[in-house]
Amino acid sequence: MITEILSLSQEALEKAERYILAGEVVAFHTETVYGLGANALNDKAVQKIFSLKGRPADNPLIAHVHSGFNIGPLVDFIPEYAVALQRAFLPGPLTMVYPSTAKVSSFVSCGLNTLAIRVPSSKTAQKFLKKVDLPIAAPSANRSKHVSPVTAKHVFDDFNGEIPLILDGGDCDGGIESTVLDCTGKDPVILREGLITREMIAGVAGRCFVYERRAGEKPKSPGMAYKHYAPKCRTAYFTFGEQEKAMRLYREEEERGGKPYFLAENGIAEKLAVNGSNIFLLGRTGEEMARNLYAQLRRAEQEATLLIGIEPTLRGGVMAGVLNRLTRAFGIGASEERK
Ligand code: TXA
Ligand code: MG
């Protein structure tokens, strides 16, 4: 199969629609990361996503819809705070989990009685979703556990020859996946942190909790149990206080003839660069670090033999999501049994 990369045009949209109606999988740009989409009403099409990605069968998918789509028939109940959150943040990088009416394929939610719905703001995503006028099940368009894609080229690198079309909308400005918010209870609970922060949600809903799995408990958002976002090169991770150790490891790798790189926020990088070391910059603000993270991890696997991550010092807002992805890319914090 030839994998075409097409920018937004009438012709591209018509092709995308034809593939989706035929049960094929089409990758598309969103404002967070690229998605790998299929008709959420078609069992076989949804199953194709799992086999293409090598995704565990118990990790549910998000249904994507355009901003005029009536989600009423798909969900059982929308609490008042969720209506306010929809008004405040949609379309945008917020995925909301509702009690499901089980109208979409049972493979989307992997047997859970809930459905995650997202209304992306990206122009490419909106035009595509309007054209098909269907709920589109879509995970991030990377192989399972690999770094999420923030350019069409990243998608191509993972799925060349296996999907017919990538709808190219350029770089993803958000850079990390949407916030996943459980809206099935009395108060909203964040299952995956992202660009819409706890502070922003609490500002509208009054309260907002962040789900923390207790030891031994089945995770509410199954995806969060897996090691994820990992670059293919060797990695090591240090806190800011462990700089000496990090420098030593860097030098050892150089002496062995390898090509080490640091991955660090700009302020730290300025200090590490004293002796002209190789550095991938994360940025200065939380938003910058979110935007740069996956692109830098993908560069690292092309150029570095060893990537040495230094924990950013910045906290608050989007940093919760950035630190979550960063530590998991370096294999820290994912539950051992699921790696
Ligand atoms: O920004 C995004 O959300 C991107 C773009 C493509 O829209 N999509 C994405 O999908 O990140 P994926 O499959 O990589 O991550 C979906 C997350 C997983 O952690 C999954 O477990 C959780 O959402 N999820 C999906 N349905 C759920 C449900 N019914 N209840 C709880 N968690 C759910
Ligand atoms: Mg993913």
Side-chain angles (χ1 to χ4, degrees):
M1 183 186 283
I2 292 185
T3 302
E4 267 192 290
I5 303 181
L6 297 178
S7 300
L8 200 57
S9 71
Q10 208 45 45
E11 189 206 334
L13 288 171
E14 271 157 26
K15 263 196 185 167
E17 182 186 31
R18 252 182 282 132
Y19 286 129
I20 291 294
L21 295 181
E24 291 292 340
V25 171
V26 169
F28 62 100
H29 174 272
T30 86
E31 71 279 17
T32 57
V33 302
Y34 276 75
L36 196 61
N39 179 357
L41 306 177
N42 178 335
D43 285 345
K44 285 228 162 68
V46 175
Q47 283 176 296
K48 230 180 235 180
I49 293 176
F50 283 87
S51 61
L52 275 167
K53 279 190 63 120
R55 184 177 176 103
D58 65 351
N59 189 8
L61 305 177
I62 299 169
H64 294 65
V65 297
H66 64 78
S67 46
F69 193 91
N70 176 20
I71 64 165
L74 302 182
V75 304
D76 228 0
F77 178 68
I78 302 182
E80 238 170 81
Y81 66 78
V83 176
L85 291 171
Q86 289 176 356
R87 267 198 217 109
F89 300 119
L90 301 189
L94 177 66
T95 295
M96 301 170 79
V97 177
Y98 303 102
S100 172
T101 53
K103 291 281 190 310
V104 301
S105 160
S106 61
F107 293 101
V108 173
S109 291
C110 303
L112 297 174
N113 57 8
T114 54
L115 177 66
I117 299 185
R118 162 154 150 71
V119 188
S121 62
S122 143
K123 187 174 165 201
T124 306
Q126 278 290 324
K127 293 256 182 191
F128 164 58
L129 294 166
K130 279 209 178 93
K131 183 76 183 160
V132 296
D133 202 24
L134 286 166
I136 293 291
S140 50
N142 52 277
R143 289 207 187 272
S144 194
K145 300 195 177 100
H146 193 207
V147 181
S148 300
V150 291
T151 68
K153 171 76 166 55
H154 293 160
V155 181
F156 189 81
D157 289 343
D158 277 18
F159 293 110
N160 179 21
E162 295 179 71
I163 57 174
L165 176 62
I166 302 170
L167 283 177
D168 188 353
D171 296 356
C172 302
D173 288 336
I176 59 171
E177 298 85 348
S178 63
T179 304
V180 177
L181 188 70
D182 183 350
C183 298
T184 62
K186 194 163 72 58
D187 292 301
V189 179
I190 292 179
L191 303 178
R192 177 176 73 184
E193 284 170 300
L195 297 166
I196 304 293
T197 64
R198 193 196 62 78
E199 295 91 326
M200 291 160 76
I201 294 167
V204 173
R207 276 147 60 104
C208 177
F209 300 94
V210 178
Y211 174 71
E212 270 176 53
R213 182 159 68 124
R214 270 166 256 137
E217 189 188 15
K218 204 169 166 226
K220 261 204 144 171
S221 192
M224 299 308 279
Y226 296 104
K227 183 178 177 193
H228 242 107
Y229 320 119
K232 286 171 183 154
C233 54
R234 282 159 43 239
T235 58
Y237 194 71
F238 295 98
T239 62
F240 185 60
E242 295 171 317
Q243 267 187 76
E244 289 290 310
K245 261 200 211 159
M247 292 301 281
R248 214 177 312 131
L249 186 64
Y250 182 97
R251 267 182 246 114
E252 278 167 19
E253 180 70 7
E254 259 188 344
E255 278 155 21
R256 267 207 255 160
K259 194 162 186 203
Y261 269 85
F262 288 112
L263 176 70
E265 77 185 1
N266 293 28
I268 294 177
E270 279 150 21
K271 299 195 181 93
L272 292 172
V274 185
N275 55 0
S277 28
N278 302 323
I279 294 180
F280 291 127
L281 293 175
L282 276 173
R284 286 184 195 283
T285 64
E287 284 73 16
E288 275 176 27
M289 290 194 234
R291 194 180 310 127
N292 294 330
L293 177 61
Y294 291 147
Q296 296 295 45
L297 290 174
R298 289 253 181 179
R299 275 182 69 193
E301 58 185 21
Q302 303 286 332
E303 295 170 39
T305 56
L306 172 68
L307 183 67
I308 304 173
I310 309 286
E311 184 183 74
T313 52
L314 192 67
R315 291 291 180 278
V318 178
M319 285 311 290
V322 170
L323 288 168
N324 166 278
R325 305 309 193 283
L326 188 62
T327 50
R328 297 177 53 166
F330 284 86
I332 298 156
S335 75
E336 293 299 324
E337 79 273 21
R338 306 293 285 274
K339 275 184 186 174

